[in-house]
Amino acid sequence: MLHSTIAVVAGCFAMANGHILMTSPKPFDYFAGSNSGGAINRPLESSGADFPCRRTDQAFSGPANTYPQGSKQKLSFQGSAVHGGGSCQVSITYDTQPSKSSKFKVIHTIQGGCPARDTNGNLVGTAETPNPNAYDFTIPSDLPAGKGTIAWSWMNRIGNREFYMNCGSVEITGDGGNKAAFDALPDLFVANIAGQGDCTTDSMNDKDPWIPDAGTSVEVNKGSWGYGNFTCDAAA
């Protein structure tokens, strides 16, 4: 496969700054404010200091994503360091400036092959290189209209045990919808972040993470390496 060939070549050349950044939905302006130090495409701190969204100390800014109820949308990225793929989720909160207590609810899960399908390592390129992989997701037709935050999260398959999360402003437009439909969606699954369920991917041995409560909107990409289950602290 093309992506597997690219990955083998790229494995020796990928730069640390080639990490992935969400380009659609449009993310917050991560350059604004005093909490913008460091690479904007890096993983979240394992301590949980910048969970969620890598923004903790100033107003959120950047373009809004306006999505009608029931509409199909696109998840896409730039960057080459896809770490053999992994598993991703798209989630929404109605908090316009999320905090650790925000309720992120999952509207789509990608089990394996995200942010790159059928990839053994990294892609060729830099942090600015468009990722050829894209994913469809749908805004549930029964979500309430209103403003909030949309998030992409990713647990990588190979490399350091990490958790990535980019967020952007969102406005859901339309009529009807109800809070009960939002509340019924699965909670965002978080791993490798202290104090957020205390689950890790340490024991997965380079397998794609299998997210246990994925919801009803799911894309499954089965690689030859298979899936692994999370190790969680039952007392958390």
Side-chain angles (χ1 to χ4, degrees), residues 137-149:
F137 67 94
T138 299
I139 301 297
S141 58
D142 53 1
L143 278 189
K147 294 181 179 181
T149 301

Side-chain angles (χ1 to χ4, degrees), residues 115-169:
R117 302 178 181 91
D118 192 33
T119 302
N120 289 324
N122 290 322
L123 304 177
V124 169
T126 68
E128 289 74 37
T129 302
N131 184 332
N133 296 267
Y135 306 83
D136 293 326
F137 67 94
T138 299
I139 301 297
S141 58
D142 53 1
L143 278 189
K147 294 181 179 181
T149 301
I150 190 165
W152 159 70
S153 55
W154 166 39
M155 292 162 286
N156 52 301
R157 182 172 69 86
I158 60 176
N160 295 331
R161 304 295 87 189
E162 296 170 333
F163 186 84
Y164 295 78
M165 189 177 190
N166 291 163
C167 300
S169 299

Side-chain angles (χ1 to χ4, degrees), residues 103-217:
K103 182 192 297 183
F104 280 90
K105 289 292 190 173
V106 173
I107 61 172
H108 187 61
T109 297
I110 305 162
Q111 302 275 35
C114 180
R117 302 178 181 91
D118 192 33
T119 302
N120 289 324
N122 290 322
L123 304 177
V124 169
T126 68
E128 289 74 37
T129 302
N131 184 332
N133 296 267
Y135 306 83
D136 293 326
F137 67 94
T138 299
I139 301 297
S141 58
D142 53 1
L143 278 189
K147 294 181 179 181
T149 301
I150 190 165
W152 159 70
S153 55
W154 166 39
M155 292 162 286
N156 52 301
R157 182 172 69 86
I158 60 176
N160 295 331
R161 304 295 87 189
E162 296 170 333
F163 186 84
Y164 295 78
M165 189 177 190
N166 291 163
C167 300
S169 299
V170 70
E171 181 173 6
I172 308 301
T173 61
D175 297 316
N178 59 81
K179 184 176 181 296
F182 173 76
D183 290 339
L185 293 169
D187 292 332
L188 173 65
F189 191 87
V190 181
N192 307 320
I193 299 292
Q196 298 297 320
D198 290 331
C199 296
T200 73
T201 54
D202 288 341
S203 62
M204 289 196 180
N205 299 318
D206 297 343
K207 297 180 184 294
D208 280 317
W210 184 262
I211 296 171
D213 189 3
T216 58
S217 178

Side-chain angles (χ1 to χ4, degrees), residues 77-127:
F77 313 96
Q78 68 180 42
S80 59
V82 297
H83 296 306
S87 294
C88 303
Q89 293 190 296
V90 180
S91 59
I92 286 178
T93 177
Y94 283 90
D95 293 343
T96 56
Q97 187 162 339
S99 67
K100 287 179 171 55
S101 61
S102 293
K103 182 192 297 183
F104 280 90
K105 289 292 190 173
V106 173
I107 61 172
H108 187 61
T109 297
I110 305 162
Q111 302 275 35
C114 180
R117 302 178 181 91
D118 192 33
T119 302
N120 289 324
N122 290 322
L123 304 177
V124 169
T126 68

